[in-house]
Amino acid sequence: MESCGARFRVQRREGLGGEQKQEQEQQHSGEGNTEPPRAPDLVQWTQHMEAVKRQLLEQAQGQLVELLDQAMWEAVQSYPSQDRPPSSSPSASINKTRKPPLGKQKVFIIRKSLLDELMEVQHFRTIYHMFAAGLCVFIISTLAIDFIDEGRLVLEFDLLIFSFGQLPLALVTWVPMFLSTLLVPYQALWLWARPQTGASWTLGVALGSVLLAAHASVLCILPVHVVVKHELPPASRCVLVFEQVRLLMKSYSFLRETLPGTLRVRGGEGRWTPSFSSYLYFLFCPTLIYRETYPRTSSIRWNYVAKNFAQALCCVLYACFILGRLCVPVFANMSQEPFSTRALVLSILHATLPGIFMLLLIFFAFLHCWLNAFAEMLRFGDRMFYRDWWNSTSFSNYYRTWNVVVHDWLYSYVYQDGLWLVGGRARGAAMMGVFLISAVVHEYIFCFVLGFFYPVMLMLFLVFGVLLNFTMNDRHTGPSWNVLMWTMLFLGQGIQVSLYCQEWYARRHCPLPQVREHSPHHILIKRTEQPASVFSS
């Protein structure tokens, strides 16, 4: 604190000293000249003072933020638990058994999402208004073309209806998945926390392990069985696969955070298990890191909740218009034409714009609107679900800031635990483990949603993602690196949209012989002479 304050005072004295010297020079130069000061000199002096003031404020703000962050971190780490006495608290045992001294632990504090802060600036709200105007243009163009071609003003939502078909079945399938996650991990922890010794405790451990195995089987097998048997469309599949992955990650976090301390307490200091209400709250709050308590806001702004849900719905409609106007006309009949390198390259370049639009819509709809709506309803205080990934000058920073919720889970339970297992060595291997798990899960999600295995995402993550992570690292700064990062994002999204769309239509135009020809899974999006897309079986 003293060193930072002394440095600030020295910088301030230097700035003021420079101003005094310039004042004296102007006074001496003015002694021999009785003319009044000229207007340009006054303007330059005002600009100089504004620059000095801005520099001082930036330096003071940066140093103050560092000091407050450090003080907050130390206060949170040293603050004792209030809901139970220190002697029975498992926090110390967790730190000894779970947390290696290799990195920082996730600390939750009350803070707003970055976009909510930026929306208070008029210039940034204008960018938001531009995207809203783009949605209006898509709606107007659809209405105009339908009126010219068919003589009617009707918005068709065939793509939306097709994508969310059989949604009630997906929601019914979610119920046993959630009940299994709600009851089994907590019951298994309760069995493991019993203070008995000998055969009774061994039987409890075995029973808890069997329950967890059954729970994992329900989460892994049930949604796959429903999707394959009933041939759910893509959006309904998204509901199941995202909930499947989310519940598995939450179950692991709950057991990973509570089991070490519970077993230590069971050794003779009494019995401790987290409250069921805290576990129930954790299953719904927008984080994948379990804590007994979280910082909470004082009230619920229901208008804010409704606004975020409405924005998420608009993003879904926006995505449907983009797919129907920019992707379906290009890729619907492409698989029926002769293959050529020129056509492939042009299709990838054409898909860059809709691809980056889809990326931004997914980010805004899920990571901002959806998570903030649930956080507001649950009064969850920490809204840092992402950081300023759009300012990244390296892909390593982009991976850390794009999805903070998932990054915290991977960092805590894959990277840090991996380093702990190898004694703090082989950081590169731990990082590769993070990339491998992330790539496999992303490819599994794409395979689940689309209904076929086409390892585009896997290759982009494991090959290009790893190369860009090590080549475009944090040592690179400057605007040119940010431009390069965005260029790579454009091309990557174009590759994904182009190749996955081509494979989707190729499998529907040329189905496998053993697949039933009139299965509802093989609904074709036929592109006619009219711009609207028509679905038929």
Side-chain angles (χ1 to χ4, degrees), residues 39 62 148 168 204 299 307 345 434 470:
I148 294 173
S299 61
K307 175 185 175 182
V345 173
V434 172
F470 287 102

Side-chain angles (χ1 to χ4, degrees), residues 12-30 45 48-49 52:
R12 193 164 187 264
R13 283 198 299 266
E14 290 177 355
L16 294 177
E19 296 166 13
Q20 292 174 358
K21 289 179 180 179
Q22 291 184 1
E23 252 184 74
Q24 293 174 359
E25 290 177 359
Q26 289 184 0
Q27 290 175 358
H28 289 305
S29 61
W45 174 251
H48 172 71
M49 291 299 296
V52 172

Side-chain angles (χ1 to χ4, degrees), residues 12-223:
R12 193 164 187 264
R13 283 198 299 266
E14 290 177 355
L16 294 177
E19 296 166 13
Q20 292 174 358
K21 289 179 180 179
Q22 291 184 1
E23 252 184 74
Q24 293 174 359
E25 290 177 359
Q26 289 184 0
Q27 290 175 358
H28 289 305
S29 61
E31 289 177 356
N33 189 3
T34 58
E35 296 180 0
R38 293 173 297 176
D41 295 336
L42 181 59
V43 172
Q44 293 176 359
W45 174 251
T46 304
Q47 293 176 350
H48 172 71
M49 291 299 296
E50 289 292 336
V52 172
K53 181 180 71 174
R54 186 165 52 253
Q55 182 180 6
L56 289 175
L57 290 177
E58 290 176 356
Q59 293 175 354
Q61 182 181 8
Q63 294 171 0
L64 184 60
V65 168
E66 292 178 1
L67 290 175
L68 291 177
D69 288 342
Q70 182 65 23
M72 185 179 299
W73 168 256
E74 294 175 356
V76 170
Q77 293 300 314
S78 61
Y79 189 74
S81 179
Q82 296 179 352
D83 54 353
R84 53 185 180 272
S87 59
S88 62
S89 174
S91 58
S93 60
I94 291 177
N95 289 334
K96 293 179 181 178
T97 58
R98 179 209 176 275
K99 190 63 180 175
L102 299 172
K104 293 189 292 186
Q105 193 175 4
K106 174 69 175 181
V107 177
F108 293 91
I109 60 176
I110 295 181
R111 49 190 165 184
K112 296 165 58 177
S113 290
L114 183 56
L115 284 184
D116 283 338
E117 296 179 350
L118 292 176
M119 286 295 182
E120 298 175 0
V121 181
Q122 179 63 36
H123 302 290
F124 197 86
R125 284 203 303 269
T126 302
I127 300 177
Y128 172 79
H129 297 159
M130 292 168 62
F131 278 91
L135 176 60
C136 296
V137 169
F138 274 116
I139 295 176
I140 293 173
S141 66
T142 302
L143 290 173
I145 294 175
D146 287 347
F147 180 77
I148 294 173
D149 293 340
E150 302 180 15
R152 58 192 179 98
L153 289 175
V154 179
L155 279 176
E156 294 185 353
F157 298 100
D158 294 339
L159 181 58
L160 183 66
I161 296 173
F162 162 73
S163 299
F164 284 93
Q166 304 186 55
L167 182 60
L169 177 60
L171 298 179
V172 170
T173 307
W174 173 83
V175 174
M177 295 169 57
F178 174 76
L179 292 178
S180 175
T181 307
L182 177 65
L183 301 176
V184 173
Y186 190 84
Q187 183 64 30
L189 184 68
W190 186 87
L191 291 172
W192 291 342
R194 294 191 303 173
Q196 292 87 355
T197 58
S200 178
W201 183 76
T202 304
L203 180 61
V205 171
L207 181 58
S209 302
V210 171
L211 288 176
L212 287 178
H215 165 63
S217 301
V218 169
L219 288 183
C220 295
I221 297 176
L222 178 61

Side-chain angles (χ1 to χ4, degrees), residues 416-436:
Q416 284 193 341
D417 285 357
L419 285 180
W420 184 33
L421 292 176
V422 297
R425 301 180 298 272
R427 293 181 179 270
M431 189 179 299
M432 288 298 299
V434 172
F435 271 97
L436 178 62

Side-chain angles (χ1 to χ4, degrees), residues 255-491:
L255 294 174
R256 185 66 185 87
E257 294 289 344
T258 58
L259 187 58
T262 301
L263 295 179
R264 176 65 67 93
V265 173
R266 192 201 67 83
E269 302 176 5
R271 178 175 181 174
W272 176 85
T273 52
S275 63
F276 185 76
S277 60
S278 66
Y279 178 55
L280 178 62
Y281 180 85
F282 169 64
L283 290 181
F284 286 98
C285 70
T287 181
L288 298 175
I289 306 295
Y290 174 78
R291 294 290 185 268
E292 183 73 12
T293 59
Y294 297 95
R296 308 283 290 275
T297 56
S298 58
S299 61
I300 301 176
R301 299 170 295 172
W302 290 107
N303 58 340
Y304 180 79
V305 175
K307 175 185 175 182
N308 278 290
F309 278 132
Q311 289 181 142
L313 177 60
C314 289
C315 288
V316 173
L317 297 177
Y318 209 151
C320 289
F321 280 118
I322 290 175
L323 289 174
R325 290 297 170 193
L326 302 181
C327 294
V328 172
V330 176
F331 299 105
N333 298 317
M334 185 176 177
S335 60
Q336 297 177 337
E337 300 174 356
F339 173 81
S340 64
T341 305
R342 178 180 180 275
L344 177 62
V345 173
L346 290 179
S347 68
I348 291 176
L349 295 178
H350 174 85
T352 54
L353 185 60
I356 205 67
F357 265 111
M358 296 294 292
L359 179 72
L360 296 176
L361 289 174
I362 291 172
F363 159 74
F364 184 74
F366 180 71
L367 291 176
H368 180 75
C369 298
W370 189 262
L371 295 185
N372 270 292
F374 273 88
E376 187 67 28
M377 288 190 294
L378 297 172
R379 296 194 295 115
F380 185 77
D382 197 336
R383 312 288 176 88
M384 195 184 69
F385 309 124
Y386 53 88
R387 288 195 283 266
D388 57 336
W389 58 269
W390 48 86
N391 293 328
S392 298
T393 56
S394 64
F395 269 88
S396 57
N397 184 71
Y398 168 76
Y399 294 140
R400 292 192 300 266
T401 55
W402 158 257
N403 188 344
V404 175
V405 179
V406 175
H407 172 266
D408 289 338
W409 193 94
L410 291 172
Y411 179 79
S412 299
Y413 305 129
V414 179
Y415 181 75
Q416 284 193 341
D417 285 357
L419 285 180
W420 184 33
L421 292 176
V422 297
R425 301 180 298 272
R427 293 181 179 270
M431 189 179 299
M432 288 298 299
V434 172
F435 271 97
L436 178 62
I437 292 177
S438 182
V440 171
V441 173
H442 277 81
E443 184 58 40
Y444 168 74
I445 292 174
F446 271 76
C447 179
F448 192 101
V449 172
L450 298 177
F452 54 82
F453 175 69
Y454 195 46
V456 177
M457 177 63 72
L458 189 67
M459 292 296 102
L460 290 178
F461 253 91
L462 285 184
V463 180
F464 297 100
V466 174
L467 291 177
L468 291 174
N469 180 73
F470 287 102
T471 55
M472 291 184 63
N473 48 44
D474 293 333
R475 292 194 301 269
H476 302 298
T477 58
S480 58
W481 291 100
N482 182 251
V483 172
L484 180 60
M485 191 274 296
W486 273 103
T487 303
M488 301 303 293
L489 280 182
F490 269 84
L491 293 177

